[in-house]
Amino acid sequence: MDLDLAQVRAFVAAARYGSMSGAAVELFLSQQALSKRIRRLEERLGPLLVRLPDGVRPTEAGRRFLPAAQRLLDAADAALDAARGATAGPLRVDVWGHAHEPLRLVRRFTDRHPDAAVELSMRRHLVQALAAVRRRELDVALGNVASLPGGLPDGLRARAHNRWW
C-alpha cells in the first residue's frame, strides 16, 4: 500500500495542533481540503483522529501511526534535499510581523556579509512562517514565539535576536 504524503502531512499537522484550523493554516489549505485529505487516509488505515467540539486528538491507532508518519515526512524532506544537491542557495528569511526590527536585523546581516544572497518572505503570520521552515521553504522566520498558540513546533528552536548575527 502506498501512502499519499499530502494526506500523511495533513494528519501529522492536525495531530500536532490538536486542531483542524491550526493544521489548515500551517499547510495553506482550507479546513475542508484538510479534512478531505485526512478522511481519505482514514479510509485506508481506519480512524486516526477523534473529532471533538474543541479540536481533534489521535485515536490509539493515530498515536501509534504518528511517530512513523513524522519519520516518513522527514525522510521525504531529506530525499528532496538530496535531489536538489549541495548547492547553496539564498538565505530565505521571513520578516513579517513587526517588520522594522526584522528588516534591520537582515540589513545588519547583509551589511556584514555583502556576498550573501538573501531572499525575503512576508507571510502574514508566524505560524505560517514556521510551517514553511518545517517544509524547508524558509531557512529562518523572525517573530515572537512567546505568542504562539501551543508553543514552538517540535523540531524547531528559537534564539533571542541579539545573538543571531
Side-chain angles (χ1 to χ4, degrees):
M1 169 191 314
D2 291 330
L3 292 175
D4 181 313
L5 290 179
Q7 293 170 359
V8 173
R9 196 173 303 279
F11 162 74
V12 168
R16 185 174 53 249
Y17 277 96
S19 149
M20 298 298 253
S21 60
V25 167
E26 176 181 322
L27 298 176
F28 299 99
L29 295 171
S30 69
Q31 283 187 346
Q32 180 181 11
L34 180 91
S35 293
K36 190 175 194 179
R37 287 182 184 184
I38 294 171
R39 194 168 38 254
R40 285 184 180 151
L41 183 64
E42 289 178 319
E43 286 170 3
R44 301 178 79 192
L45 301 179
L48 298 172
L49 293 173
V50 175
R51 279 77 172 166
L52 303 166
D54 61 341
V56 296
R57 68 173 166 77
T59 63
E60 181 60 35
R63 284 190 294 278
R64 289 190 309 265
F65 181 63
L66 185 58
Q70 184 61 63
R71 288 192 304 272
L72 176 65
L73 295 175
D74 292 343
D77 290 342
L80 288 173
D81 288 348
R84 291 180 185 131
T87 58
L91 176 64
R92 299 161 303 169
V93 181
D94 186 89
V95 296
W96 181 259
H98 297 61
H100 297 296
E101 182 61 22
L103 283 173
R104 272 190 227 115
L105 289 170
V106 172
R107 174 66 56 117
R108 193 175 318 142
F109 175 81
T110 57
D111 287 348
R112 291 181 185 172
H113 306 278
D115 294 334
V118 176
E119 182 180 291
L120 296 179
S121 166
M122 294 187 84
R123 286 168 169 76
R124 297 270 179 200
H125 193 279
L126 184 58
V127 170
Q128 293 173 348
L130 292 175
V133 170
R134 287 184 65 89
R135 290 190 307 272
R136 298 186 175 148
E137 295 169 7
L138 289 174
D139 300 305
V140 177
L142 304 176
N144 181 359
V145 297
S147 66
L148 289 173
L152 195 63
D154 290 339
L156 299 181
R157 66 176 194 255
R159 292 189 180 186
H161 77 277
N162 60 356
R163 291 187 285 169
W164 284 352
W165 298 305

Short mmCIF file of all heavy atoms in Angstrom, two decimals, residues 84-145:
data_model
loop_
_atom_site.label_atom_id
_atom_site.label_comp_id
_atom_site.label_asym_id
_atom_site.label_seq_id
_atom_site.Cartn_x
_atom_site.Cartn_y
_atom_site.Cartn_z
N ARG A 84 18.08 17.95 -4.68
CA ARG A 84 18.44 19.33 -5.02
C ARG A 84 19.95 19.53 -5.02
O ARG A 84 20.45 20.49 -5.57
CB ARG A 84 17.79 20.29 -4.03
CG ARG A 84 16.29 20.35 -4.17
CD ARG A 84 15.69 21.32 -3.17
NE ARG A 84 14.26 21.28 -3.24
CZ ARG A 84 13.45 21.16 -2.20
NH1 ARG A 84 13.94 21.09 -0.98
NH2 ARG A 84 12.15 21.11 -2.35
N GLY A 85 20.68 18.65 -4.37
CA GLY A 85 22.13 18.75 -4.32
C GLY A 85 22.59 19.67 -3.22
O GLY A 85 21.81 20.23 -2.46
N ALA A 86 23.90 19.79 -3.12
CA ALA A 86 24.51 20.54 -2.02
C ALA A 86 24.76 22.00 -2.39
O ALA A 86 25.46 22.69 -1.66
CB ALA A 86 25.81 19.87 -1.61
N THR A 87 24.24 22.45 -3.49
CA THR A 87 24.48 23.84 -3.87
C THR A 87 23.77 24.77 -2.91
O THR A 87 22.61 24.57 -2.56
CB THR A 87 24.00 24.12 -5.31
OG1 THR A 87 22.61 23.81 -5.38
CG2 THR A 87 24.77 23.27 -6.32
N ALA A 88 24.49 25.77 -2.49
CA ALA A 88 23.92 26.73 -1.54
C ALA A 88 23.08 27.74 -2.30
O ALA A 88 23.52 28.32 -3.27
CB ALA A 88 25.03 27.43 -0.76
N GLY A 89 21.88 27.92 -1.84
CA GLY A 89 21.02 28.94 -2.42
C GLY A 89 21.00 30.15 -1.51
O GLY A 89 21.81 30.26 -0.59
N PRO A 90 20.08 31.03 -1.75
CA PRO A 90 20.00 32.21 -0.89
C PRO A 90 19.48 31.84 0.50
O PRO A 90 18.81 30.82 0.67
CB PRO A 90 18.99 33.11 -1.61
CG PRO A 90 18.15 32.16 -2.40
CD PRO A 90 19.06 31.03 -2.79
N LEU A 91 19.81 32.66 1.47
CA LEU A 91 19.25 32.53 2.81
C LEU A 91 17.82 33.03 2.72
O LEU A 91 17.58 34.18 2.37
CB LEU A 91 20.05 33.36 3.82
CG LEU A 91 19.52 33.38 5.25
CD1 LEU A 91 19.58 31.98 5.86
CD2 LEU A 91 20.30 34.37 6.08
N ARG A 92 16.84 32.16 3.01
CA ARG A 92 15.43 32.52 2.87
C ARG A 92 14.89 32.90 4.24
O ARG A 92 14.83 32.07 5.14
CB ARG A 92 14.66 31.34 2.28
CG ARG A 92 15.17 30.96 0.88
CD ARG A 92 14.78 29.58 0.47
NE ARG A 92 15.27 28.62 1.46
CZ ARG A 92 14.91 27.35 1.49
NH1 ARG A 92 14.06 26.87 0.62
NH2 ARG A 92 15.39 26.53 2.41
N VAL A 93 14.51 34.17 4.38
CA VAL A 93 14.13 34.74 5.68
C VAL A 93 12.73 35.33 5.60
O VAL A 93 12.43 36.11 4.70
CB VAL A 93 15.12 35.85 6.10
CG1 VAL A 93 14.75 36.42 7.46
CG2 VAL A 93 16.55 35.33 6.10
N ASP A 94 11.90 34.98 6.60
CA ASP A 94 10.58 35.59 6.72
C ASP A 94 10.68 36.76 7.69
O ASP A 94 11.19 36.61 8.80
CB ASP A 94 9.55 34.60 7.23
CG ASP A 94 8.15 35.20 7.21
OD1 ASP A 94 7.49 35.08 6.17
OD2 ASP A 94 7.76 35.81 8.21
N VAL A 95 10.21 37.93 7.27
CA VAL A 95 10.34 39.14 8.09
C VAL A 95 9.00 39.77 8.43
O VAL A 95 8.94 40.92 8.81
CB VAL A 95 11.25 40.19 7.42
CG1 VAL A 95 12.65 39.68 7.30
CG2 VAL A 95 10.70 40.60 6.06
N TRP A 96 7.91 39.01 8.29
CA TRP A 96 6.60 39.59 8.60
C TRP A 96 6.47 39.81 10.10
O TRP A 96 7.19 39.27 10.89
CB TRP A 96 5.47 38.69 8.11
CG TRP A 96 4.14 39.28 8.40
CD1 TRP A 96 3.30 38.94 9.40
CD2 TRP A 96 3.50 40.34 7.72
NE1 TRP A 96 2.18 39.71 9.37
CE2 TRP A 96 2.27 40.59 8.35
CE3 TRP A 96 3.84 41.12 6.62
CZ2 TRP A 96 1.39 41.57 7.92
CZ3 TRP A 96 2.97 42.08 6.20
CH2 TRP A 96 1.76 42.30 6.85
N GLY A 97 5.52 40.57 10.48
CA GLY A 97 5.31 40.87 11.89
C GLY A 97 5.68 42.32 12.10
O GLY A 97 5.44 43.17 11.25
N HIS A 98 6.30 42.61 13.20
CA HIS A 98 6.79 43.96 13.44
C HIS A 98 8.00 44.14 12.53
O HIS A 98 9.14 43.93 12.94
CB HIS A 98 7.13 44.15 14.91
CG HIS A 98 5.93 44.00 15.79
ND1 HIS A 98 5.20 42.83 15.85
CD2 HIS A 98 5.33 44.85 16.62
CE1 HIS A 98 4.19 42.99 16.69
NE2 HIS A 98 4.24 44.20 17.17
N ALA A 99 7.72 44.44 11.27
CA ALA A 99 8.69 44.31 10.18
C ALA A 99 9.93 45.19 10.34
O ALA A 99 10.98 44.84 9.84
CB ALA A 99 8.01 44.61 8.85
N HIS A 100 9.84 46.30 11.02
CA HIS A 100 11.00 47.18 11.09
C HIS A 100 12.19 46.52 11.75
O HIS A 100 13.30 46.56 11.23
CB HIS A 100 10.65 48.50 11.78
CG HIS A 100 9.61 49.28 11.04
ND1 HIS A 100 9.84 49.78 9.77
CD2 HIS A 100 8.35 49.62 11.35
CE1 HIS A 100 8.76 50.40 9.35
NE2 HIS A 100 7.82 50.32 10.30
N GLU A 101 12.00 45.89 12.89
CA GLU A 101 13.12 45.25 13.58
C GLU A 101 13.67 44.05 12.79
O GLU A 101 14.88 43.95 12.61
CB GLU A 101 12.73 44.84 15.01
CG GLU A 101 13.86 44.21 15.79
CD GLU A 101 15.08 45.11 15.98
OE1 GLU A 101 14.95 46.34 15.89
OE2 GLU A 101 16.18 44.57 16.22
N PRO A 102 12.83 43.13 12.30
CA PRO A 102 13.38 42.05 11.49
C PRO A 102 14.13 42.55 10.26
O PRO A 102 15.19 42.02 9.93
CB PRO A 102 12.15 41.22 11.10
CG PRO A 102 11.20 41.45 12.22
CD PRO A 102 11.41 42.90 12.61
N LEU A 103 13.61 43.58 9.61
CA LEU A 103 14.32 44.11 8.45
C LEU A 103 15.66 44.71 8.84
O LEU A 103 16.65 44.59 8.11
CB LEU A 103 13.46 45.13 7.71
CG LEU A 103 12.35 44.53 6.85
CD1 LEU A 103 11.44 45.62 6.30
CD2 LEU A 103 12.93 43.72 5.71
N ARG A 104 15.73 45.35 10.01
CA ARG A 104 17.01 45.87 10.50
C ARG A 104 18.01 44.75 10.72
O ARG A 104 19.19 44.87 10.42
CB ARG A 104 16.81 46.67 11.79
CG ARG A 104 16.49 48.11 11.53
CD ARG A 104 16.54 48.91 12.84
NE ARG A 104 15.34 49.70 12.83
CZ ARG A 104 14.31 49.61 13.66
NH1 ARG A 104 14.35 48.84 14.68
NH2 ARG A 104 13.25 50.34 13.51
N LEU A 105 17.53 43.65 11.29
CA LEU A 105 18.41 42.50 11.51
C LEU A 105 18.95 41.95 10.19
O LEU A 105 20.14 41.65 10.07
CB LEU A 105 17.68 41.41 12.27
CG LEU A 105 17.38 41.67 13.73
CD1 LEU A 105 16.44 40.59 14.27
CD2 LEU A 105 18.65 41.71 14.53
N VAL A 106 18.07 41.83 9.20
CA VAL A 106 18.50 41.34 7.90
C VAL A 106 19.48 42.33 7.27
O VAL A 106 20.51 41.93 6.70
CB VAL A 106 17.29 41.06 6.98
CG1 VAL A 106 17.74 40.73 5.58
CG2 VAL A 106 16.45 39.93 7.56
N ARG A 107 19.19 43.62 7.38
CA ARG A 107 20.11 44.64 6.83
C ARG A 107 21.48 44.55 7.50
O ARG A 107 22.51 44.62 6.83
CB ARG A 107 19.50 46.03 7.03
CG ARG A 107 20.38 47.21 6.65
CD ARG A 107 20.66 47.28 5.18
NE ARG A 107 19.43 47.31 4.44
CZ ARG A 107 19.02 48.29 3.68
NH1 ARG A 107 19.76 49.35 3.52
NH2 ARG A 107 17.88 48.21 3.05
N ARG A 108 21.49 44.38 8.81
CA ARG A 108 22.75 44.25 9.54
C ARG A 108 23.52 43.03 9.04
O ARG A 108 24.74 43.06 8.85
CB ARG A 108 22.48 44.15 11.04
CG ARG A 108 23.73 44.32 11.89
CD ARG A 108 23.42 44.33 13.37
NE ARG A 108 22.22 45.10 13.72
CZ ARG A 108 21.35 44.74 14.64
NH1 ARG A 108 21.54 43.65 15.37
NH2 ARG A 108 20.30 45.48 14.89
N PHE A 109 22.81 41.93 8.83
CA PHE A 109 23.45 40.72 8.32
C PHE A 109 24.04 40.96 6.94
O PHE A 109 25.20 40.60 6.68
CB PHE A 109 22.44 39.57 8.27
CG PHE A 109 22.99 38.32 7.66
CD1 PHE A 109 23.78 37.46 8.41
CD2 PHE A 109 22.73 38.00 6.34
CE1 PHE A 109 24.30 36.30 7.84
CE2 PHE A 109 23.24 36.85 5.76
CZ PHE A 109 24.03 36.01 6.51
N THR A 110 23.27 41.54 6.02
CA THR A 110 23.77 41.75 4.66
C THR A 110 24.90 42.79 4.63
O THR A 110 25.78 42.69 3.78
CB THR A 110 22.64 42.16 3.70
OG1 THR A 110 21.99 43.33 4.17
CG2 THR A 110 21.62 41.03 3.54
N ASP A 111 24.88 43.74 5.55
CA ASP A 111 26.00 44.69 5.63
C ASP A 111 27.28 43.98 6.04
O ASP A 111 28.36 44.29 5.54
CB ASP A 111 25.70 45.81 6.63
CG ASP A 111 24.67 46.81 6.11
OD1 ASP A 111 24.36 46.77 4.89
OD2 ASP A 111 24.16 47.60 6.93
N ARG A 112 27.17 43.03 6.96
CA ARG A 112 28.34 42.29 7.44
C ARG A 112 28.76 41.18 6.49
O ARG A 112 29.90 40.71 6.52
CB ARG A 112 28.06 41.69 8.82
CG ARG A 112 27.95 42.74 9.88
CD ARG A 112 27.70 42.13 11.22
NE ARG A 112 27.47 43.20 12.20
CZ ARG A 112 27.08 43.00 13.43
NH1 ARG A 112 26.86 41.78 13.86
NH2 ARG A 112 26.89 44.01 14.25
N HIS A 113 27.84 40.72 5.66
CA HIS A 113 28.10 39.63 4.72
C HIS A 113 27.63 40.05 3.33
O HIS A 113 26.63 39.52 2.83
CB HIS A 113 27.39 38.35 5.16
CG HIS A 113 27.71 37.93 6.56
ND1 HIS A 113 28.84 37.23 6.88
CD2 HIS A 113 27.07 38.15 7.73
CE1 HIS A 113 28.88 37.02 8.19
NE2 HIS A 113 27.81 37.57 8.73
N PRO A 114 28.33 40.99 2.69
CA PRO A 114 27.84 41.54 1.42
C PRO A 114 27.73 40.53 0.29
O PRO A 114 26.96 40.75 -0.65
CB PRO A 114 28.85 42.64 1.09
CG PRO A 114 30.04 42.36 1.93
CD PRO A 114 29.58 41.58 3.11
N ASP A 115 28.43 39.41 0.38
CA ASP A 115 28.34 38.40 -0.68
C ASP A 115 27.18 37.43 -0.48
O ASP A 115 26.91 36.60 -1.35
CB ASP A 115 29.65 37.61 -0.75
CG ASP A 115 30.82 38.49 -1.19
OD1 ASP A 115 30.58 39.50 -1.89
OD2 ASP A 115 31.96 38.16 -0.84
N ALA A 116 26.52 37.54 0.66
CA ALA A 116 25.42 36.61 0.95
C ALA A 116 24.18 37.00 0.15
O ALA A 116 23.81 38.17 0.07
CB ALA A 116 25.10 36.63 2.43
N ALA A 117 23.56 35.98 -0.42
CA ALA A 117 22.28 36.20 -1.11
C ALA A 117 21.16 35.97 -0.10
O ALA A 117 21.15 34.95 0.60
CB ALA A 117 22.14 35.24 -2.28
N VAL A 118 20.24 36.91 0.00
CA VAL A 118 19.13 36.82 0.94
C VAL A 118 17.83 36.98 0.17
O VAL A 118 17.70 37.91 -0.64
CB VAL A 118 19.23 37.88 2.05
CG1 VAL A 118 18.02 37.82 2.96
CG2 VAL A 118 20.52 37.70 2.84
N GLU A 119 16.91 36.09 0.41
CA GLU A 119 15.59 36.14 -0.22
C GLU A 119 14.56 36.38 0.89
O GLU A 119 14.44 35.58 1.81
CB GLU A 119 15.33 34.79 -0.90
CG GLU A 119 14.03 34.69 -1.64
CD GLU A 119 13.91 33.31 -2.27
OE1 GLU A 119 14.67 33.02 -3.22
OE2 GLU A 119 13.08 32.52 -1.78
N LEU A 120 13.85 37.50 0.80
CA LEU A 120 12.87 37.86 1.84
C LEU A 120 11.50 37.28 1.53
O LEU A 120 11.09 37.20 0.38
CB LEU A 120 12.76 39.37 1.97
CG LEU A 120 14.01 40.11 2.44
CD1 LEU A 120 13.76 41.60 2.49
CD2 LEU A 120 14.47 39.60 3.79
N SER A 121 10.80 36.92 2.58
CA SER A 121 9.44 36.42 2.51
C SER A 121 8.62 37.22 3.51
O SER A 121 9.14 37.64 4.54
CB SER A 121 9.42 34.94 2.88
OG SER A 121 8.11 34.51 3.13
N MET A 122 7.34 37.41 3.23
CA MET A 122 6.47 38.13 4.16
C MET A 122 5.16 37.38 4.31
O MET A 122 4.13 37.79 3.82
CB MET A 122 6.26 39.57 3.72
CG MET A 122 7.53 40.39 3.76
SD MET A 122 7.27 42.13 3.42
CE MET A 122 6.80 42.70 5.04
N ARG A 123 5.22 36.25 4.99
CA ARG A 123 3.98 35.54 5.29
C ARG A 123 3.22 36.35 6.32
O ARG A 123 3.80 37.12 7.06
CB ARG A 123 4.30 34.13 5.78
CG ARG A 123 4.73 33.26 4.58
CD ARG A 123 5.32 31.97 5.02
NE ARG A 123 5.51 31.04 3.93
CZ ARG A 123 6.47 31.12 3.02
NH1 ARG A 123 7.32 32.12 3.05
NH2 ARG A 123 6.59 30.23 2.07
N ARG A 124 1.95 36.16 6.43
CA ARG A 124 1.09 37.01 7.26
C ARG A 124 1.05 36.62 8.73
O ARG A 124 0.46 37.32 9.53
CB ARG A 124 -0.33 37.00 6.71
CG ARG A 124 -0.42 37.57 5.34
CD ARG A 124 -0.65 39.03 5.41
NE ARG A 124 -0.71 39.60 4.08
CZ ARG A 124 -0.54 40.86 3.85
NH1 ARG A 124 -0.29 41.69 4.82
NH2 ARG A 124 -0.61 41.31 2.63
N HIS A 125 1.67 35.51 9.10
CA HIS A 125 1.55 35.05 10.48
C HIS A 125 2.75 34.16 10.78
O HIS A 125 3.21 33.41 9.92
CB HIS A 125 0.24 34.26 10.62
CG HIS A 125 -0.16 34.00 12.03
ND1 HIS A 125 0.39 32.99 12.77
CD2 HIS A 125 -1.03 34.63 12.84
CE1 HIS A 125 -0.14 33.00 13.97
NE2 HIS A 125 -1.01 33.98 14.04
N LEU A 126 3.26 34.22 11.99
CA LEU A 126 4.40 33.42 12.38
C LEU A 126 4.12 31.92 12.25
O LEU A 126 4.99 31.15 11.88
CB LEU A 126 4.84 33.76 13.81
CG LEU A 126 6.10 33.05 14.31
CD1 LEU A 126 7.30 33.33 13.42
CD2 LEU A 126 6.40 33.48 15.75
N VAL A 127 2.89 31.50 12.51
CA VAL A 127 2.53 30.09 12.37
C VAL A 127 2.78 29.64 10.93
O VAL A 127 3.34 28.57 10.68
CB VAL A 127 1.06 29.84 12.78
CG1 VAL A 127 0.62 28.43 12.42
CG2 VAL A 127 0.89 30.08 14.27
N GLN A 128 2.38 30.47 9.96
CA GLN A 128 2.61 30.13 8.56
C GLN A 128 4.09 30.12 8.22
O GLN A 128 4.57 29.26 7.49
CB GLN A 128 1.88 31.12 7.65
CG GLN A 128 0.38 31.02 7.76
CD GLN A 128 -0.33 32.12 7.00
OE1 GLN A 128 0.28 33.09 6.57
NE2 GLN A 128 -1.63 31.96 6.83
N ALA A 129 4.83 31.07 8.77
CA ALA A 129 6.27 31.12 8.51
C ALA A 129 6.97 29.90 9.08
O ALA A 129 7.85 29.30 8.44
CB ALA A 129 6.86 32.41 9.08
N LEU A 130 6.60 29.49 10.29
CA LEU A 130 7.22 28.32 10.91
C LEU A 130 6.86 27.05 10.14
O LEU A 130 7.69 26.14 10.03
CB LEU A 130 6.81 28.21 12.37
CG LEU A 130 7.38 29.31 13.28
CD1 LEU A 130 6.82 29.17 14.68
CD2 LEU A 130 8.89 29.30 13.28
N ALA A 131 5.65 26.98 9.62
CA ALA A 131 5.28 25.83 8.78
C ALA A 131 6.17 25.78 7.55
O ALA A 131 6.59 24.71 7.12
CB ALA A 131 3.80 25.92 8.39
N ALA A 132 6.47 26.94 6.97
CA ALA A 132 7.36 27.00 5.80
C ALA A 132 8.78 26.59 6.18
O ALA A 132 9.48 25.96 5.39
CB ALA A 132 7.33 28.40 5.19
N VAL A 133 9.21 26.92 7.39
CA VAL A 133 10.53 26.47 7.87
C VAL A 133 10.53 24.94 7.97
O VAL A 133 11.47 24.28 7.52
CB VAL A 133 10.90 27.13 9.22
CG1 VAL A 133 12.14 26.47 9.82
CG2 VAL A 133 11.13 28.62 9.05
N ARG A 134 9.48 24.38 8.55
CA ARG A 134 9.40 22.91 8.68
C ARG A 134 9.40 22.24 7.32
O ARG A 134 9.96 21.16 7.16
CB ARG A 134 8.15 22.51 9.45
CG ARG A 134 8.24 22.79 10.94
CD ARG A 134 7.01 22.28 11.66
NE ARG A 134 6.91 20.84 11.58
CZ ARG A 134 7.46 20.00 12.46
NH1 ARG A 134 8.16 20.46 13.45
NH2 ARG A 134 7.29 18.71 12.33
N ARG A 135 8.78 22.86 6.32
CA ARG A 135 8.76 22.30 4.96
C ARG A 135 10.03 22.64 4.19
O ARG A 135 10.16 22.29 3.03
CB ARG A 135 7.54 22.82 4.20
CG ARG A 135 6.22 22.29 4.68
CD ARG A 135 5.08 22.65 3.73
NE ARG A 135 5.00 24.06 3.43
CZ ARG A 135 4.32 24.96 4.14
NH1 ARG A 135 3.64 24.58 5.21
NH2 ARG A 135 4.31 26.23 3.79
N ARG A 136 10.93 23.37 4.83
CA ARG A 136 12.22 23.78 4.25
C ARG A 136 12.05 24.74 3.08
O ARG A 136 12.89 24.79 2.20
CB ARG A 136 13.05 22.57 3.90
CG ARG A 136 13.36 21.75 5.12
CD ARG A 136 14.28 20.63 4.86
NE ARG A 136 14.59 20.00 6.14
CZ ARG A 136 14.83 18.75 6.28
NH1 ARG A 136 14.84 17.96 5.25
NH2 ARG A 136 15.10 18.24 7.46
N GLU A 137 10.95 25.49 3.08
CA GLU A 137 10.76 26.55 2.10
C GLU A 137 11.44 27.83 2.58
O GLU A 137 11.69 28.72 1.78
CB GLU A 137 9.27 26.81 1.89
CG GLU A 137 8.54 25.65 1.27
CD GLU A 137 7.02 25.83 1.31
OE1 GLU A 137 6.54 26.91 1.70
OE2 GLU A 137 6.32 24.87 0.98
N LEU A 138 11.66 27.93 3.88
CA LEU A 138 12.36 29.05 4.51
C LEU A 138 13.48 28.50 5.38
O LEU A 138 13.37 27.38 5.90
CB LEU A 138 11.43 29.87 5.41
CG LEU A 138 10.37 30.72 4.77
CD1 LEU A 138 9.47 31.33 5.86
CD2 LEU A 138 10.99 31.83 3.95
N ASP A 139 14.52 29.31 5.57
CA ASP A 139 15.60 28.93 6.47
C ASP A 139 15.41 29.53 7.85
O ASP A 139 15.79 28.92 8.86
CB ASP A 139 16.95 29.40 5.90
CG ASP A 139 17.22 28.78 4.54
OD1 ASP A 139 17.18 27.53 4.44
OD2 ASP A 139 17.44 29.53 3.57
N VAL A 140 14.83 30.74 7.91
CA VAL A 140 14.70 31.48 9.16
C VAL A 140 13.36 32.22 9.16
O VAL A 140 12.96 32.78 8.13
CB VAL A 140 15.83 32.53 9.32
CG1 VAL A 140 15.66 33.33 10.59
CG2 VAL A 140 17.20 31.86 9.29
N ALA A 141 12.70 32.22 10.30
CA ALA A 141 11.49 33.02 10.49
C ALA A 141 11.73 33.90 11.71
O ALA A 141 12.15 33.41 12.76
CB ALA A 141 10.27 32.15 10.70
N LEU A 142 11.51 35.18 11.57
CA LEU A 142 11.69 36.12 12.66
C LEU A 142 10.34 36.47 13.25
O LEU A 142 9.43 36.87 12.52
CB LEU A 142 12.40 37.38 12.16
CG LEU A 142 13.75 37.15 11.47
CD1 LEU A 142 14.30 38.46 10.94
CD2 LEU A 142 14.74 36.49 12.40
N GLY A 143 10.19 36.30 14.55
CA GLY A 143 8.93 36.63 15.19
C GLY A 143 8.96 36.30 16.66
O GLY A 143 9.94 35.74 17.17
N ASN A 144 7.89 36.63 17.35
CA ASN A 144 7.78 36.43 18.79
C ASN A 144 7.16 35.07 19.06
O ASN A 144 5.94 34.90 18.98
CB ASN A 144 6.92 37.55 19.39
CG ASN A 144 6.78 37.42 20.89
OD1 ASN A 144 7.31 36.49 21.50
ND2 ASN A 144 6.07 38.35 21.49
N VAL A 145 8.00 34.09 19.41
CA VAL A 145 7.49 32.73 19.64
C VAL A 145 6.68 32.62 20.92
O VAL A 145 5.92 31.67 21.08
CB VAL A 145 8.63 31.68 19.63
CG1 VAL A 145 9.30 31.64 18.28
CG2 VAL A 145 9.63 31.95 20.73
#
